[in-house]
Amino acid sequence: MSTILEALKGVSSYPIPFRTLVETAEGRGLSLADEATAEVMAGKAFRLATADLLLWLSLAPNISQGGQSYSFSEDQRQQMRNRSNAIVGELEPETAGKSFYGYKGSSL
C-alpha cells in the first residue's frame, strides 16, 4: 500500500513542493505517513486535500526542471479549478464559490 504522501503526489506528475504537500495535508487533518487505504482516499479530508492541490496546480507556473518541462494550457487549468470547485461544492457547500481575501504566507 502507499502512503497519503504518495497518493497526494499522484494527483499530478507536476513536481509539487514537499512543503505544499505538508501544509495541504496538515490543513485537512491528514498525516502524510499514514497508509492511503481506500477508506481514507474516499474520505472527506483526503478529497478536500485533493481539491486544494488541484486549485494549487491550476495556479502553478509552467516550469522546466532537469530537462523535463511541465506546463498546463488554460483549458487544463480551468478543468482543474472546476474539479476542485466540484469537490468542495459537494463536501462543503457553504464555502463553495466564496472568495477569501487577506494575507497568507510568509511574504507579501
Side-chain angles (χ1 to χ4, degrees):
M1 289 307 295
S2 65
T3 63
I4 290 177
L5 171 62
E6 293 165 336
L8 289 175
K9 278 183 169 181
V11 169
S12 174
S13 61
Y14 187 95
I16 301 169
F18 182 71
R19 184 77 185 142
T20 300
L21 294 166
V22 168
E23 289 175 2
T24 300
E26 286 179 355
R28 295 299 182 178
L30 297 169
S31 172
L32 292 177
D34 288 350
E35 189 175 339
T37 63
E39 182 179 315
V40 168
M41 293 176 65
K44 181 177 179 179
F46 184 85
R47 292 184 61 213
L48 288 171
T50 300
D52 293 343
L53 288 177
L54 287 169
L55 183 59
W56 185 90
L57 285 164
S58 77
L59 302 170
N62 295 329
I63 61 170
S64 290
Q65 175 178 305
Q68 183 75 23
S69 293
Y70 301 91
S71 63
F72 300 115
S73 69
E74 283 307 311
D75 286 341
Q76 290 171 313
R77 292 176 186 280
Q78 187 60 51
Q79 288 174 357
M80 286 186 276
R81 283 189 290 271
N82 291 344
R83 282 182 55 206
S84 175
N85 289 335
I87 293 168
V88 172
E90 176 187 339
L91 300 174
E92 292 185 340
E94 66 280 357
T95 62
K98 290 187 178 179
S99 296
F100 295 96
Y101 300 96
Y103 173 75
K104 182 177 181 181
S106 60
S107 62
L108 294 174

